[in-house]
Amino acid sequence: EGNGLAGTLPTELGHLSDLKFLYAEQGNMGGTIPTELGQLSNLLVLDLDYNYLTGPAIPPALYNLWSLVQLDVNDNLLTGTIDSAIGDLKNLRFLQVGRNPITGTIPEELGTLNLVLGGFENTLLTGIMPSSVCGDPSPGQLVADCAGEIPRLVCDCCSQCLETEQLAESNFNDR
């Protein structure tokens, strides 16, 4: 189980201009997501889930990755918000930020993306999932904290709405 990687993501990764896939999931990586990754204009997949990364969930430099199809940073210790610049990532189809203590409201610009998979569960995000996210084609799986007496996130098309009991099982304090 896991990839055996530990330490921090080296900033030098930003010099690998032809890099298309960066998988560093399920490791013991800590520190922040290097802003230098924003220089990887050919990057299609950035998968950093199940680590111990801190800092902003989506560093501003990553909003320059217009080729990005998959961004997976779930199950870390990332904070901050999802910026409206998320709408600039027109090729993004898979966005997973769940199980991070990120805050703020869901940006309307998320609705400009044609997401196939979205994971927003066990976050502190609030607001209304843009109705265009539920459009045609609708996401194959869209998971959010949208159940309970007072949902933090309203999502009419979520394929899974986590119940209050599931939210209490959040792993924020387990790391």
Side-chain angles (χ1 to χ4, degrees):
E1 188 81 24
N3 63 24
L5 295 176
T8 60
L9 289 167
T11 58
E12 292 80 8
L13 287 171
H15 299 296
L16 302 174
S17 58
D18 291 329
L19 189 66
K20 293 188 185 316
F21 306 94
L22 178 55
Y23 292 98
E25 78 276 13
Q26 298 183 7
N28 286 308
M29 304 295 289
T32 60
I33 299 171
T35 58
E36 290 81 0
L37 295 185
Q39 300 169 18
L40 300 174
S41 59
N42 294 311
L43 194 65
L44 300 172
V45 175
L46 180 58
D47 190 344
L48 304 173
D49 67 346
Y50 295 96
N51 278 290
Y52 297 91
L53 298 170
T54 59
I58 305 175
L62 295 188
Y63 293 113
N64 296 325
L65 299 176
W66 299 300
S67 298
L68 203 60
V69 175
Q70 177 180 335
L71 177 58
D72 189 348
V73 294
N74 65 302
D75 288 286
N76 278 286
L77 301 170
L78 300 169
T79 58
T81 62
I82 298 176
D83 192 273
S84 61
I86 193 73
D88 294 340
L89 302 178
K90 299 295 183 195
N91 293 309
L92 197 62
R93 299 296 176 263
F94 303 89
L95 175 62
Q96 296 201 101
V97 296
R99 294 181 294 283
N100 283 295
I102 59 176
T103 59
T105 58
I106 290 284
E108 288 182 31
E109 292 78 4
L110 191 65
T112 65
L113 305 176
N114 293 315
L115 292 179
V116 175
L117 174 67
F120 305 93
E121 74 281 7
N122 291 56
T123 66
L124 301 174
L125 291 168
T126 60
I128 299 173
M129 188 68 69
S131 60
S132 54
V133 171
C134 304
D136 186 26
S138 63
Q141 183 178 13
L142 186 61
V143 181
D145 303 340
C146 51
E149 290 180 34
I150 305 175
R152 288 195 299 255
L153 187 61
V154 176
C155 184
D156 291 333
C157 66
C158 287
S159 55
Q160 180 180 358
C161 285
L162 301 179
E163 299 296 334
T164 306
E165 299 80 38
Q166 289 172 298
L167 295 176
E169 295 173 6
S170 169
N171 66 352
F172 297 151
N173 298 321
D174 293 345
R175 296 212 169 197

